[in-house]
Amino acid sequence: MTNSAVIVGAGVIGLAAAHRLAEDGLAVTVVDAAPDSQSGTSVHNAGWIVPIMSAPVPAPGMLGKAARWMTKKDSPLYVRPSLNPEHVRFMLAMLRYCNPRDFNHGMGALTTLNERTVALFDAYDKQGVAFEYHQVGQLLAFHTSEGMQEYQRATAPVERIGHTAVPLSGDELRDLEPALGPHVRRGLHCAQERHVDPASLVKGLEERCRELGVRFIRSSRVTEVRSSGSVVTSVLAGCQEIQGDLFVLAAGAHTGRLSRLAGCRLPIQPGKGYGFDDRSGSVKLRHSVYLGEAKVAVTPLSDRLRFAGTMEFGSSDATIDPHRVRGIARSAHEFLPGLRPTEQPRAWAGHRPMTPDGLPVIGALPGKDNVLVASGHAMLGVTLAPVTADIISATVEGGRRAAELAPTVRPFAPERFTARRRA
Ligand SMILES: Cc1cc2nc3c(=O)[nH]c(=O)nc-3n(C[C@H](O)[C@H](O)[C@H](O)COP(=O)(O)OP(=O)(O)OC[C@H]3O[C@@H](n4cnc5c(N)ncnc54)[C@H](O)[C@@H]3O)c2cc1C
């Protein structure tokens, strides 16, 4: 019988899971290394709710692109040269997934997982989770037809869950968003996508969790996992030993390290991204906009425009690479020529939890009876937070609900990595 749960990690995934389990009536404790939830990756991201972007990161052709971009200091994708064996192993494993068969499998699995995303976000309102939520849709803007075609191929399979990408000309795009510059010639209108202020979502989830009686232990990094046979009995964080019936590992890009403490090494590595906010008001947007060829996300929030982008492998620290931030700013000016920042924006960095196959890791940790993993959501952690929480809740409940979800969840089982290693 599961009466209590300990969740390690108070990012959007850990908080969404805590919220669901507390709603289910469990006594929930959330433990996190950070002093508060306003400084991590779950706050520093573009805030897009985008089932239309269900394509996994490892894709056919990624190797060629990475090789071309490796020489450019401000490119959207960068693999930092490193001899760290874990990083090398991870990158080699990811390369093996850059083929049509694995890509299509991942695309299908993520699309199915995203089927209820929007409905679950809409339901937060009724559940008392307050956050800044925009339901206006998204535009993908391109300078060239070739740039757009790549995305059309990647968005077409998502139509089966009711998320569409309608092609528009440059002028049709400018009718919707007059701030887009004259070089934007093609685009896609994805009317069903949404966006949030990620900081407000994290705050709203935490506040609702507290109302439901969730206990938060802050500034406490989990450094030890204690077990009796196949049952984890407690985790050690600072000088506290925290006991529970169930443990959920939701430590973002650190979940690989944490899973090793529990006896099973999962391949989760950081994919660093950067961003900054512009409060000048010089450009007004309603939709979230993807600057296609530059791979930059622009998000209009109530008091600012947020710019985010780049994917950097092999870098786990918080340092800011000014070249990459400049690359984002340059693309922003190319697509939005009216942008006139009034002050030097303060850049931030976030670490996406990446897996070699580009799919999240959701489900039972191999070798342990009472540990669940919820991580590896890569570029879709905000989007997939409520559905991940729903799966965690169904897994704990068991019975019919868990059986119904089993086919949807199977591709994300942590076991896929350990079984492969054994083979
Ligand atoms: C530039 C950028 C743009 C993005 N844009 C989007 C977007 O538009 N839409 C989208 O869906 N996703 C987006 N993402 C991805 C999304 O931000 C992540 O997938 C998501 O935030 C991951 O959430 P998490 O809760 O798994 O991890 P995190 O937010 O990293 O939280 C993990 C928590 O675990 C804690 N922790 C770690 N180790 C320990 C330990 N040993 N003990 C205790 N606590 C520990 C950390 O302190 C942290 O608070 C973006 C990411 C980046 C970088």
Side-chain angles (χ1 to χ4, degrees):
M1 183 79 180
T2 307
N3 293 314
S4 64
V6 176
I7 296 179
V8 184
V12 70
I13 299 292
L15 289 170
H19 166 251
R20 265 314 286 268
L21 293 181
E23 287 263 7
D24 293 346
L26 269 69
V28 180
T29 302
V30 177
V31 54
D32 197 288
D36 60 56
S37 38
Q38 290 299 307
S39 55
T41 303
S42 290
V43 165
H44 292 131
N45 61 67
W48 291 3
I49 311 302
V50 278
I52 198 78
M53 296 196 165
S54 288
V57 172
M62 185 182 154
L63 177 60
K65 257 188 222 157
R68 263 198 315 281
W69 279 334
M70 277 291 281
T71 51
K72 284 187 71 191
K73 283 185 172 161
D74 60 355
S75 65
L77 174 66
Y78 184 64
V79 183
R80 205 164 269 285
S82 160
L83 290 176
N84 175 326
E86 247 175 85
H87 168 67
V88 174
R89 233 186 345 255
F90 181 90
M91 292 315 302
L92 289 175
M94 185 174 257
L95 280 181
R96 281 199 293 275
Y97 285 101
C98 293
N99 65 72
R101 194 182 59 108
D102 285 320
F103 178 79
N104 291 335
H105 163 77
M107 176 95 211
L110 280 168
T111 301
T112 303
L113 189 64
N114 261 321
E115 213 160 353
R116 292 180 301 136
T117 288
V118 163
L120 288 169
F121 264 98
D122 290 351
Y124 270 156
D125 187 34
K126 282 196 207 81
Q127 293 160 8
V129 180
F131 59 104
E132 186 184 321
Y133 189 32
H134 300 261
Q135 306 177 40
V136 280
Q138 179 179 57
L139 297 180
L140 283 71
F142 299 90
H143 287 156
T144 64
S145 299
E146 296 78 56
M148 187 178 89
Q149 278 155 11
E150 187 186 328
Y151 280 88
Q152 267 183 307
R153 282 193 293 275
T155 53
V158 192
E159 277 193 20
R160 75 169 161 84
I161 62 162
H163 286 255
T164 52
V166 178
L168 298 182
S169 67
D171 287 339
E172 287 168 329
L173 285 164
R174 275 178 290 278
D175 285 345
L176 292 171
E177 290 296 357
L180 285 168
H183 299 303
V184 173
R185 299 210 172 84
R186 300 303 307 272
L188 297 168
H189 181 206
C190 307
Q192 295 79 22
E193 310 315 293
R194 281 131 199 246
H195 65 269
V196 301
D197 176 350
S200 77
L201 177 62
V202 161
K203 185 164 173 276
L205 280 167
E206 179 166 344
E207 278 174 4
R208 184 65 191 133
C209 279
R210 287 187 190 277
E211 282 167 12
L212 292 167
V214 173
R215 180 167 75 116
F216 282 85
I217 302 176
R218 289 283 183 184
S219 305
S220 302
R221 180 174 297 280
V222 169
T223 50
E224 196 180 323
V225 175
R226 293 189 172 161
S227 306
S228 167
S230 60
V231 175
V232 168
T233 50
S234 64
V235 292
L236 214 66
C239 49
Q240 290 199 62
E241 183 172 0
I242 308 152
Q243 293 172 335
D245 299 329
L246 170 80
F247 294 81
V248 181
L249 309 186
H254 297 276
T255 310
R257 220 175 292 163
L258 192 64
S259 69
R260 199 163 43 193
L261 294 178
C264 174
R265 179 168 52 86
L266 292 172
I268 298 174
Q269 288 279 311
K272 195 171 183 178
Y274 299 97
F276 56 83
D277 295 345
D278 174 69
R279 295 173 193 272
S280 69
S282 53
V283 161
K284 299 255 184 281
L285 295 175
R286 282 185 63 240
H287 304 77
S288 63
V289 180
Y290 187 59
L291 313 182
E293 283 87 357
K295 298 191 180 300
V296 168
V298 191
T299 312
L301 299 173
S302 64
D303 58 347
R304 62 204 192 277
L305 262 195
R306 170 160 285 196
F307 294 85
T310 78
M311 173 70 83
E312 188 177 311
F313 289 102
S315 174
S316 55
D317 59 23
T319 52
I320 306 283
D321 181 340
H323 298 294
R324 305 218 165 266
V325 180
R326 271 200 292 275
I328 298 175
R330 191 176 32 77
S331 316
H333 283 285
E334 279 169 17
F335 282 78
L336 301 165
L339 187 65
R340 299 271 179 277
T342 45
E343 55 185 45
Q344 184 71 16
R346 255 200 30 226
W348 42 257
H351 296 93
R352 307 172 182 92
M354 307 299 295
T355 57
D357 59 2
L359 303 185
V361 192
I362 310 168
L365 185 75
K368 295 291 176 217
D369 298 339
N370 62 336
V371 180
L372 298 177
V373 184
S375 186
H377 294 80
M379 323 233 278
L380 290 176
V382 180
T383 303
L384 292 171
V387 74
T388 301
D390 187 61
I391 290 169
I392 296 291
S393 152
T395 309
V396 174
E397 188 183 303
R400 216 172 105 196
R401 227 176 113 217
E404 275 168 11
L405 278 176
T408 303
V409 182
R410 199 165 295 126
F412 308 103
E415 207 183 50
R416 70 191 190 272
F417 292 119
T418 52
R420 211 180 163 102
R421 223 177 285 144
R422 276 200 304 274

